[in-house]
Amino acid sequence: MANTKSALKRAQIAERNRLRNKAYKSAVKTLMKKYVNAVAVYTANPTPELKQEAEARLSEAYAKIDKATKRGVLHPNNGARKKSRLAHKLKPVTQTAQ
C-alpha cells in the first residue's frame, strides 16, 4: 500500500491507465480476429461482397491500431507490425481471385 499521498495518487493513475490500455488492446485483438475470419470466409468463396466486407474489417482494425498507437498503448513498431501482418493475410487471396 502507498505510504504518501502522491504515491497513492500515482497508484490510482497507474490502475486507471492499465484498465484503459487493457480495453484498447482487447479491442485491437477482437477487430483483428474479425478481420481474419472475414478473410477466411472470402477465401472459401471469393465474391465482391465478401471482399468488400474483408476490406471494411481491415479498415476498422487499422483505425483502432492507429488510435492505440497514438494514445501510447502500443509501441509504433508494434502497431506497424500488426498492420503489416493484416495486410499480408488478404494480399495472396486477392491475387489468386483475379
mmCIF file with all atom_site columns, all heavy atoms in Angstrom, residues 16-29:
data_model
loop_
_atom_site.group_PDB
_atom_site.id
_atom_site.type_symbol
_atom_site.label_atom_id
_atom_site.label_alt_id
_atom_site.label_comp_id
_atom_site.label_asym_id
_atom_site.label_entity_id
_atom_site.label_seq_id
_atom_site.pdbx_PDB_ins_code
_atom_site.Cartn_x
_atom_site.Cartn_y
_atom_site.Cartn_z
_atom_site.occupancy
_atom_site.B_iso_or_equiv
_atom_site.pdbx_formal_charge
_atom_site.auth_seq_id
_atom_site.auth_comp_id
_atom_site.auth_asym_id
_atom_site.auth_atom_id
_atom_site.pdbx_PDB_model_num
ATOM 1   N N   . ARG A 1 16 ? -5.859  3.227  -13.439 1.00 0.00 ? 16 ARG A N   1
ATOM 2   C CA  . ARG A 1 16 ? -6.758  3.784  -14.457 1.00 0.00 ? 16 ARG A CA  1
ATOM 3   C C   . ARG A 1 16 ? -6.172  3.578  -15.856 1.00 0.00 ? 16 ARG A C   1
ATOM 4   O O   . ARG A 1 16 ? -6.863  3.138  -16.769 1.00 0.00 ? 16 ARG A O   1
ATOM 5   C CB  . ARG A 1 16 ? -6.972  5.267  -14.182 1.00 0.00 ? 16 ARG A CB  1
ATOM 6   C CG  . ARG A 1 16 ? -7.933  5.940  -15.150 1.00 0.00 ? 16 ARG A CG  1
ATOM 7   C CD  . ARG A 1 16 ? -8.020  7.423  -14.894 1.00 0.00 ? 16 ARG A CD  1
ATOM 8   N NE  . ARG A 1 16 ? -6.760  8.067  -15.255 1.00 0.00 ? 16 ARG A NE  1
ATOM 9   C CZ  . ARG A 1 16 ? -6.299  9.186  -14.718 1.00 0.00 ? 16 ARG A CZ  1
ATOM 10  N NH1 . ARG A 1 16 ? -6.971  9.811  -13.772 1.00 0.00 ? 16 ARG A NH1 1
ATOM 11  N NH2 . ARG A 1 16 ? -5.167  9.712  -15.126 1.00 0.00 ? 16 ARG A NH2 1
ATOM 12  N N   . ASN A 1 17 ? -4.882  3.870  -15.998 1.00 0.00 ? 17 ASN A N   1
ATOM 13  C CA  . ASN A 1 17 ? -4.221  3.698  -17.294 1.00 0.00 ? 17 ASN A CA  1
ATOM 14  C C   . ASN A 1 17 ? -4.154  2.232  -17.699 1.00 0.00 ? 17 ASN A C   1
ATOM 15  O O   . ASN A 1 17 ? -4.309  1.903  -18.879 1.00 0.00 ? 17 ASN A O   1
ATOM 16  C CB  . ASN A 1 17 ? -2.820  4.298  -17.265 1.00 0.00 ? 17 ASN A CB  1
ATOM 17  C CG  . ASN A 1 17 ? -2.840  5.800  -17.178 1.00 0.00 ? 17 ASN A CG  1
ATOM 18  O OD1 . ASN A 1 17 ? -3.877  6.435  -17.436 1.00 0.00 ? 17 ASN A OD1 1
ATOM 19  N ND2 . ASN A 1 17 ? -1.721  6.399  -16.809 1.00 0.00 ? 17 ASN A ND2 1
ATOM 20  N N   . ARG A 1 18 ? -3.922  1.350  -16.731 1.00 0.00 ? 18 ARG A N   1
ATOM 21  C CA  . ARG A 1 18 ? -3.859  -0.085 -17.014 1.00 0.00 ? 18 ARG A CA  1
ATOM 22  C C   . ARG A 1 18 ? -5.178  -0.570 -17.589 1.00 0.00 ? 18 ARG A C   1
ATOM 23  O O   . ARG A 1 18 ? -5.221  -1.316 -18.569 1.00 0.00 ? 18 ARG A O   1
ATOM 24  C CB  . ARG A 1 18 ? -3.513  -0.869 -15.747 1.00 0.00 ? 18 ARG A CB  1
ATOM 25  C CG  . ARG A 1 18 ? -3.329  -2.362 -15.978 1.00 0.00 ? 18 ARG A CG  1
ATOM 26  C CD  . ARG A 1 18 ? -3.133  -3.103 -14.668 1.00 0.00 ? 18 ARG A CD  1
ATOM 27  N NE  . ARG A 1 18 ? -4.346  -3.167 -13.885 1.00 0.00 ? 18 ARG A NE  1
ATOM 28  C CZ  . ARG A 1 18 ? -5.322  -4.069 -14.061 1.00 0.00 ? 18 ARG A CZ  1
ATOM 29  N NH1 . ARG A 1 18 ? -5.216  -4.982 -15.014 1.00 0.00 ? 18 ARG A NH1 1
ATOM 30  N NH2 . ARG A 1 18 ? -6.396  -4.072 -13.290 1.00 0.00 ? 18 ARG A NH2 1
ATOM 31  N N   . LEU A 1 19 ? -6.281  -0.130 -16.994 1.00 0.00 ? 19 LEU A N   1
ATOM 32  C CA  . LEU A 1 19 ? -7.600  -0.557 -17.469 1.00 0.00 ? 19 LEU A CA  1
ATOM 33  C C   . LEU A 1 19 ? -7.889  0.005  -18.858 1.00 0.00 ? 19 LEU A C   1
ATOM 34  O O   . LEU A 1 19 ? -8.467  -0.678 -19.703 1.00 0.00 ? 19 LEU A O   1
ATOM 35  C CB  . LEU A 1 19 ? -8.681  -0.132 -16.472 1.00 0.00 ? 19 LEU A CB  1
ATOM 36  C CG  . LEU A 1 19 ? -8.622  -0.836 -15.115 1.00 0.00 ? 19 LEU A CG  1
ATOM 37  C CD1 . LEU A 1 19 ? -9.640  -0.247 -14.157 1.00 0.00 ? 19 LEU A CD1 1
ATOM 38  C CD2 . LEU A 1 19 ? -8.829  -2.324 -15.283 1.00 0.00 ? 19 LEU A CD2 1
ATOM 39  N N   . ARG A 1 20 ? -7.483  1.253  -19.095 1.00 0.00 ? 20 ARG A N   1
ATOM 40  C CA  . ARG A 1 20 ? -7.690  1.852  -20.419 1.00 0.00 ? 20 ARG A CA  1
ATOM 41  C C   . ARG A 1 20 ? -6.867  1.103  -21.463 1.00 0.00 ? 20 ARG A C   1
ATOM 42  O O   . ARG A 1 20 ? -7.363  0.782  -22.546 1.00 0.00 ? 20 ARG A O   1
ATOM 43  C CB  . ARG A 1 20 ? -7.308  3.325  -20.410 1.00 0.00 ? 20 ARG A CB  1
ATOM 44  C CG  . ARG A 1 20 ? -7.625  4.006  -21.730 1.00 0.00 ? 20 ARG A CG  1
ATOM 45  C CD  . ARG A 1 20 ? -7.160  5.431  -21.811 1.00 0.00 ? 20 ARG A CD  1
ATOM 46  N NE  . ARG A 1 20 ? -7.580  6.246  -20.682 1.00 0.00 ? 20 ARG A NE  1
ATOM 47  C CZ  . ARG A 1 20 ? -6.745  6.964  -19.930 1.00 0.00 ? 20 ARG A CZ  1
ATOM 48  N NH1 . ARG A 1 20 ? -5.467  6.970  -20.176 1.00 0.00 ? 20 ARG A NH1 1
ATOM 49  N NH2 . ARG A 1 20 ? -7.205  7.692  -18.937 1.00 0.00 ? 20 ARG A NH2 1
ATOM 50  N N   . ASN A 1 21 ? -5.612  0.821  -21.142 1.00 0.00 ? 21 ASN A N   1
ATOM 51  C CA  . ASN A 1 21 ? -4.744  0.097  -22.067 1.00 0.00 ? 21 ASN A CA  1
ATOM 52  C C   . ASN A 1 21 ? -5.293  -1.287 -22.359 1.00 0.00 ? 21 ASN A C   1
ATOM 53  O O   . ASN A 1 21 ? -5.261  -1.755 -23.502 1.00 0.00 ? 21 ASN A O   1
ATOM 54  C CB  . ASN A 1 21 ? -3.326  -0.017 -21.495 1.00 0.00 ? 21 ASN A CB  1
ATOM 55  C CG  . ASN A 1 21 ? -2.614  1.310  -21.432 1.00 0.00 ? 21 ASN A CG  1
ATOM 56  O OD1 . ASN A 1 21 ? -3.062  2.302  -22.003 1.00 0.00 ? 21 ASN A OD1 1
ATOM 57  N ND2 . ASN A 1 21 ? -1.508  1.339  -20.719 1.00 0.00 ? 21 ASN A ND2 1
ATOM 58  N N   . LYS A 1 22 ? -5.802  -1.945 -21.326 1.00 0.00 ? 22 LYS A N   1
ATOM 59  C CA  . LYS A 1 22 ? -6.366  -3.282 -21.476 1.00 0.00 ? 22 LYS A CA  1
ATOM 60  C C   . LYS A 1 22 ? -7.556  -3.251 -22.436 1.00 0.00 ? 22 LYS A C   1
ATOM 61  O O   . LYS A 1 22 ? -7.700  -4.134 -23.301 1.00 0.00 ? 22 LYS A O   1
ATOM 62  C CB  . LYS A 1 22 ? -6.797  -3.797 -20.103 1.00 0.00 ? 22 LYS A CB  1
ATOM 63  C CG  . LYS A 1 22 ? -7.339  -5.198 -20.078 1.00 0.00 ? 22 LYS A CG  1
ATOM 64  C CD  . LYS A 1 22 ? -7.676  -5.575 -18.646 1.00 0.00 ? 22 LYS A CD  1
ATOM 65  C CE  . LYS A 1 22 ? -8.454  -6.865 -18.584 1.00 0.00 ? 22 LYS A CE  1
ATOM 66  N NZ  . LYS A 1 22 ? -8.896  -7.171 -17.222 1.00 0.00 ? 22 LYS A NZ  1
ATOM 67  N N   . ALA A 1 23 ? -8.396  -2.229 -22.317 1.00 0.00 ? 23 ALA A N   1
ATOM 68  C CA  . ALA A 1 23 ? -9.564  -2.107 -23.195 1.00 0.00 ? 23 ALA A CA  1
ATOM 69  C C   . ALA A 1 23 ? -9.128  -1.903 -24.646 1.00 0.00 ? 23 ALA A C   1
ATOM 70  O O   . ALA A 1 23 ? -9.689  -2.525 -25.568 1.00 0.00 ? 23 ALA A O   1
ATOM 71  C CB  . ALA A 1 23 ? -10.445 -0.954 -22.738 1.00 0.00 ? 23 ALA A CB  1
ATOM 72  N N   . TYR A 1 24 ? -8.135  -1.053 -24.868 1.00 0.00 ? 24 TYR A N   1
ATOM 73  C CA  . TYR A 1 24 ? -7.643  -0.819 -26.229 1.00 0.00 ? 24 TYR A CA  1
ATOM 74  C C   . TYR A 1 24 ? -7.060  -2.088 -26.824 1.00 0.00 ? 24 TYR A C   1
ATOM 75  O O   . TYR A 1 24 ? -7.352  -2.450 -27.964 1.00 0.00 ? 24 TYR A O   1
ATOM 76  C CB  . TYR A 1 24 ? -6.582  0.284  -26.245 1.00 0.00 ? 24 TYR A CB  1
ATOM 77  C CG  . TYR A 1 24 ? -7.144  1.644  -26.547 1.00 0.00 ? 24 TYR A CG  1
ATOM 78  C CD1 . TYR A 1 24 ? -7.340  2.575  -25.538 1.00 0.00 ? 24 TYR A CD1 1
ATOM 79  C CD2 . TYR A 1 24 ? -7.486  2.006  -27.836 1.00 0.00 ? 24 TYR A CD2 1
ATOM 80  C CE1 . TYR A 1 24 ? -7.845  3.827  -25.803 1.00 0.00 ? 24 TYR A CE1 1
ATOM 81  C CE2 . TYR A 1 24 ? -7.999  3.255  -28.122 1.00 0.00 ? 24 TYR A CE2 1
ATOM 82  C CZ  . TYR A 1 24 ? -8.176  4.164  -27.102 1.00 0.00 ? 24 TYR A CZ  1
ATOM 83  O OH  . TYR A 1 24 ? -8.680  5.399  -27.380 1.00 0.00 ? 24 TYR A OH  1
ATOM 84  N N   . LYS A 1 25 ? -6.207  -2.777 -26.049 1.00 0.00 ? 25 LYS A N   1
ATOM 85  C CA  . LYS A 1 25 ? -5.573  -3.990 -26.553 1.00 0.00 ? 25 LYS A CA  1
ATOM 86  C C   . LYS A 1 25 ? -6.602  -5.063 -26.866 1.00 0.00 ? 25 LYS A C   1
ATOM 87  O O   . LYS A 1 25 ? -6.500  -5.759 -27.882 1.00 0.00 ? 25 LYS A O   1
ATOM 88  C CB  . LYS A 1 25 ? -4.554  -4.516 -25.537 1.00 0.00 ? 25 LYS A CB  1
ATOM 89  C CG  . LYS A 1 25 ? -3.290  -3.703 -25.489 1.00 0.00 ? 25 LYS A CG  1
ATOM 90  C CD  . LYS A 1 25 ? -2.286  -4.299 -24.529 1.00 0.00 ? 25 LYS A CD  1
ATOM 91  C CE  . LYS A 1 25 ? -1.034  -3.459 -24.461 1.00 0.00 ? 25 LYS A CE  1
ATOM 92  N NZ  . LYS A 1 25 ? -0.020  -4.025 -23.581 1.00 0.00 ? 25 LYS A NZ  1
ATOM 93  N N   . SER A 1 26 ? -7.607  -5.181 -26.024 1.00 0.00 ? 26 SER A N   1
ATOM 94  C CA  . SER A 1 26 ? -8.662  -6.163 -26.252 1.00 0.00 ? 26 SER A CA  1
ATOM 95  C C   . SER A 1 26 ? -9.438  -5.833 -27.523 1.00 0.00 ? 26 SER A C   1
ATOM 96  O O   . SER A 1 26 ? -9.746  -6.716 -28.326 1.00 0.00 ? 26 SER A O   1
ATOM 97  C CB  . SER A 1 26 ? -9.603  -6.192 -25.050 1.00 0.00 ? 26 SER A CB  1
ATOM 98  O OG  . SER A 1 26 ? -10.666 -7.071 -25.286 1.00 0.00 ? 26 SER A OG  1
ATOM 99  N N   . ALA A 1 27 ? -9.745  -4.563 -27.720 1.00 0.00 ? 27 ALA A N   1
ATOM 100 C CA  . ALA A 1 27 ? -10.483 -4.148 -28.916 1.00 0.00 ? 27 ALA A CA  1
ATOM 101 C C   . ALA A 1 27 ? -9.656  -4.409 -30.176 1.00 0.00 ? 27 ALA A C   1
ATOM 102 O O   . ALA A 1 27 ? -10.207 -4.861 -31.196 1.00 0.00 ? 27 ALA A O   1
ATOM 103 C CB  . ALA A 1 27 ? -10.846 -2.672 -28.813 1.00 0.00 ? 27 ALA A CB  1
ATOM 104 N N   . VAL A 1 28 ? -8.359  -4.157 -30.115 1.00 0.00 ? 28 VAL A N   1
ATOM 105 C CA  . VAL A 1 28 ? -7.491  -4.410 -31.262 1.00 0.00 ? 28 VAL A CA  1
ATOM 106 C C   . VAL A 1 28 ? -7.505  -5.898 -31.600 1.00 0.00 ? 28 VAL A C   1
ATOM 107 O O   . VAL A 1 28 ? -7.660  -6.286 -32.765 1.00 0.00 ? 28 VAL A O   1
ATOM 108 C CB  . VAL A 1 28 ? -6.051  -3.927 -30.985 1.00 0.00 ? 28 VAL A CB  1
ATOM 109 C CG1 . VAL A 1 28 ? -5.070  -4.483 -32.013 1.00 0.00 ? 28 VAL A CG1 1
ATOM 110 C CG2 . VAL A 1 28 ? -5.993  -2.408 -30.984 1.00 0.00 ? 28 VAL A CG2 1
ATOM 111 N N   . LYS A 1 29 ? -7.362  -6.743 -30.589 1.00 0.00 ? 29 LYS A N   1
ATOM 112 C CA  . LYS A 1 29 ? -7.366  -8.193 -30.822 1.00 0.00 ? 29 LYS A CA  1
ATOM 113 C C   . LYS A 1 29 ? -8.686  -8.657 -31.404 1.00 0.00 ? 29 LYS A C   1
ATOM 114 O O   . LYS A 1 29 ? -8.717  -9.490 -32.320 1.00 0.00 ? 29 LYS A O   1
ATOM 115 C CB  . LYS A 1 29 ? -7.085  -8.932 -29.503 1.00 0.00 ? 29 LYS A CB  1
ATOM 116 C CG  . LYS A 1 29 ? -5.665  -8.833 -29.030 1.00 0.00 ? 29 LYS A CG  1
ATOM 117 C CD  . LYS A 1 29 ? -5.505  -9.592 -27.710 1.00 0.00 ? 29 LYS A CD  1
ATOM 118 C CE  . LYS A 1 29 ? -4.167  -9.312 -27.062 1.00 0.00 ? 29 LYS A CE  1
ATOM 119 N NZ  . LYS A 1 29 ? -4.063  -9.959 -25.752 1.00 0.00 ? 29 LYS A NZ  1
#
